[in-house]
Amino acid sequence: MTVIDPGMLTSVQTLGSRPCPELGVPSAGAVDTLSVKVGNRLLGNHDYDAALECTLTGVTVRLDSDSHIVVTGGEADCFLKGDSIRAMERWKVHKVGAGETVQIGGVRRGARVYLCVRGGFCSDRNSFGPSTNLGAGFGGFGGRALRAGDVLTFNGATGDPPENLHVPPMVLELLERRTLRAIALPMAGRFEQEAANLFWQSEFTVSNQSDRSGIRLEGPAIPSLCAGRMISEGMTFGAIEIPQSGQPIVLGVEHPTTGGYPVIACVATVDLPILGQLRPREKVRFEQVTVAEAHRLLRSASAALRRLPPQRDYSL
Amino acid sequence: MPPPVPTQITWFGDRCLRLEFGTENTPETRARVYRAWEALYDADFECRLRLTPAYTTILAEFDPLTLSDPKGFIASLFAESPDAPAIPSRKTVELPVCYEAPHAPDLESVAEHCGLSVEDVVRAHSGATYEVAFIGFMPGFPYLVGLPNELACPRLPNPRLRVPSGSVAIADDQTGIYPRSSAGGWRLVGRTPLRLFDAAQPSPSLLEIGDSVRFRRITPAEFDTLAAQRNS
């Protein structure tokens, strides 16, 4: 597959690499893991096969051999151009012939589109696995975003992908949620009750200054008791930091592994894929759930995905 | 001595537990964190936990769908852990550092803040022995403790958009090294030509938690020679 136009930011990503937080290496990988997982399952791939993550502006690629592809994630116009031009439905497997061009337009809803291919994309070998860590410059394709002219190969998979698979309604419902479920952290010495109330009751706007390392939010300033800084400690994808400005930062997949800002809450694991679909200027809110409720939500989402079985044949 | 157990365990979201070993960043607390981290890391041979050690805490991340009782699991790892040596073995790394222009843009502001001459700052910084408290922030970034008290200096009021890779920097009572160019608010007092992190190597990070670090003064010419060797 040859990249004709990579758009503003396209990279090779999987469900996540082998994280080494003791060496400062976060999991990286796709921000919206749900779209990658569903795309791979529709194609009969393994869950951890690599896909292309395209941000906001879409991507154009040319297939150099016959293959099957599927486009998942945000809403965008997709076309297949060969002898004729065909509109290509998202979340459906399409057979593509050598020489045909796949054109994915600007993302209209959501922020990221995933292009998955039968067999998954090949990527660089390193200590941490196949995903691109763009900040640290390793993994994926040369440790960087794709450029026009790059030639990607994919792992061979024989036969056709499974047929009659349907995307569970839960997937699209979840990715369209803009009220993120989150777990409150202990407030002692960090926040007063009033600050916490302000956080849980307010609506925030996604800032333009958001990327794979974090999503900056704009809204009422949330005051903290530690003047914005504490003793540095371990951080995780989805932790919501409150810096001195009071404007929350939701940590992304390429987050710093440690940080010194107080954390007011963490986005529930079930809702993390939504972070990959938040687009600049969109409004978000947070809804408080307990740890037990968050686990229940995760189990139920995981059960809904069982109707789309993962590939378990490792000879592929 | 058995490994130290956390003084407090709290949920940090729905897939992390925050293990606290003290509230103050003291050598005793850091030693407890280090020994507890080593014990957990060694005992968790199924790799069910991802552990992020820091000054006073360890963040333990896991898959909540497959680990239903993480608190019990962590307690069992501590219980099964053999007695650790009181003083863990560490390697000592000597890093060449150039404390001269153009590699030390904030040296004068640090000297001014501390009421010292530039030479005093360089002599004190390169004369101390540091310990890697943990690797954090970005791949391979060491948080070094052991900065002489007289060199403590706050962060820049406005962070730089681009700090060159290898920059040796000061923030409050810590010193650290940027493995890769990035934005950053620490004050830059020197630069090492060595590569601190290379994902293609079997041991990607030059420094690891618990290592001792010393800085050796080099000239800009030596810096250029070593940098050229690194890139060849």
Side-chain angles (χ1 to χ4, degrees), chain A residues 44 53 62 68 75 97 113 128 152-153 158 162 188 194-195 199 232 235 265-266 276 284 297:
Chain A
E53 179 180 271
R62 188 186 63 235
H68 289 87
E75 199 176 302
V113 165
F128 308 103
L152 301 161
T153 51
T158 49
E194 277 172 37
F199 172 77
S232 287
M235 288 294 147
C266 291
V284 286
L297 290 165

Side-chain angles (χ1 to χ4, degrees), chain A residues 112 206-217 278 280:
Chain A
R112 288 178 179 83
V206 176
S207 154
N208 294 323
Q209 289 181 321
S210 300
D211 58 21
R212 286 170 47 81
S213 68
I215 293 170
R216 288 169 185 271
L217 300 178
L278 293 182

Side-chain angles (χ1 to χ4, degrees), chain A residues 37-250:
Chain A
K37 191 182 272 186
V38 169
N40 276 332
R41 290 188 180 188
L42 289 171
L43 286 163
N45 287 351
H46 299 291
D47 280 358
Y48 272 82
D49 281 335
L52 296 190
E53 179 180 271
C54 324
T55 316
L56 289 171
T57 53
V59 69
T60 304
V61 295
R62 188 186 63 235
L63 271 293
D64 299 324
S65 62
D66 295 353
S67 187
H68 289 87
I69 61 166
V70 62
V71 177
T72 61
E75 199 176 302
D77 292 326
C78 308
F79 296 99
L80 263 177
K81 294 182 177 176
D83 296 335
S84 60
I85 298 180
R86 288 174 282 158
M88 199 171 68
E89 212 179 328
R90 292 150 55 240
W91 305 97
K92 288 251 190 307
V93 173
H94 298 271
K95 191 170 181 168
V96 188
E100 288 194 296
T101 300
V102 178
Q103 188 183 341
I104 300 173
V107 186
R108 282 195 311 264
R109 259 175 103 179
R112 288 178 179 83
V113 165
Y114 292 87
L115 173 59
C116 308
V117 64
R118 170 95 167 135
F121 291 96
C122 299
S123 55
D124 293 357
R125 291 186 76 85
N126 66 80
S127 306
F128 308 103
S131 292
T132 317
N133 185 324
L134 290 167
F138 61 79
F141 187 92
R144 60 168 173 81
L146 296 180
R147 299 179 194 139
D150 284 344
V151 177
L152 301 161
T153 51
F154 27 92
N155 301 304
T158 49
D160 286 341
E163 283 174 25
N164 300 321
L165 290 181
H166 298 285
V167 180
M170 175 280 293
V171 173
L172 294 180
E173 283 162 24
L174 184 90
L175 292 178
E176 285 181 2
R177 277 188 76 92
R178 290 301 177 262
T179 298
L180 305 183
R181 283 137 331 172
I183 297 98
L185 257 58
M187 292 187 296
R190 297 171 189 201
F191 300 99
E192 281 176 346
Q193 188 59 49
E194 277 172 37
N197 293 346
L198 186 61
F199 172 77
W200 294 106
Q201 288 160 10
S202 297
E203 185 176 66
F204 296 93
T205 305
V206 176
S207 154
N208 294 323
Q209 289 181 321
S210 300
D211 58 21
R212 286 170 47 81
S213 68
I215 293 170
R216 288 169 185 271
L217 300 178
E218 294 164 357
I222 311 295
S224 83
L225 296 172
C226 25
R229 284 215 83 84
M230 315 183 314
I231 300 173
S232 287
E233 59 177 64
M235 288 294 147
T236 184
F237 178 29
I240 306 166
E241 293 184 328
I242 306 292
Q244 206 156 2
S245 67
Q247 304 291 294
I249 301 169
V250 188

Side-chain angles (χ1 to χ4, degrees), chain B residues 65-215:
Chain B
L65 287 175
T66 55
L67 193 60
S68 57
D69 178 20
K71 286 186 184 178
F73 178 68
I74 287 172
S76 74
L77 291 184
F78 276 124
E80 289 161 16
S81 178
D83 289 3
I87 300 166
S89 57
R90 294 166 173 162
K91 69 176 187 289
T92 299
V93 179
E94 189 186 72
L95 290 176
V97 172
C98 178
Y99 290 94
E100 293 171 53
H103 305 303
D106 298 324
L107 197 50
E108 283 186 20
S109 80
V110 171
E112 198 177 325
H113 180 271
C114 302
L116 299 168
S117 71
V118 164
E119 177 56 28
D120 288 339
V121 173
V122 174
R123 200 176 294 149
H125 194 268
S126 59
T129 300
Y130 301 87
E131 183 195 316
V132 179
F134 60 95
I135 306 286
F137 176 40
M138 63 160 85
F141 186 107
Y143 282 77
L144 302 173
V145 292
L147 185 74
N149 290 334
E150 66 269 27
L151 298 187
C153 193
R155 287 169 175 76
L156 293 170
N158 296 306
R160 274 191 179 78
L161 288 176
R162 191 179 169 280
V163 173
S165 65
S167 290
V168 178
I170 290 176
D172 305 323
D173 57 354
Q174 328 163 87
T175 199
I177 309 164
Y178 289 86
R180 192 181 157 88
S181 78
S182 81
W186 293 30
R187 287 180 199 258
L188 314 184
V189 297
R191 193 176 174 200
T192 178
L194 297 193
R195 185 172 285 158
L196 265 72
F197 189 87
D198 183 350
Q201 298 300 319
S203 294
S205 187
L206 179 66
L207 300 173
E208 291 171 293
I209 180 170
D211 287 347
S212 283
V213 176
R214 294 186 62 84
F215 296 126

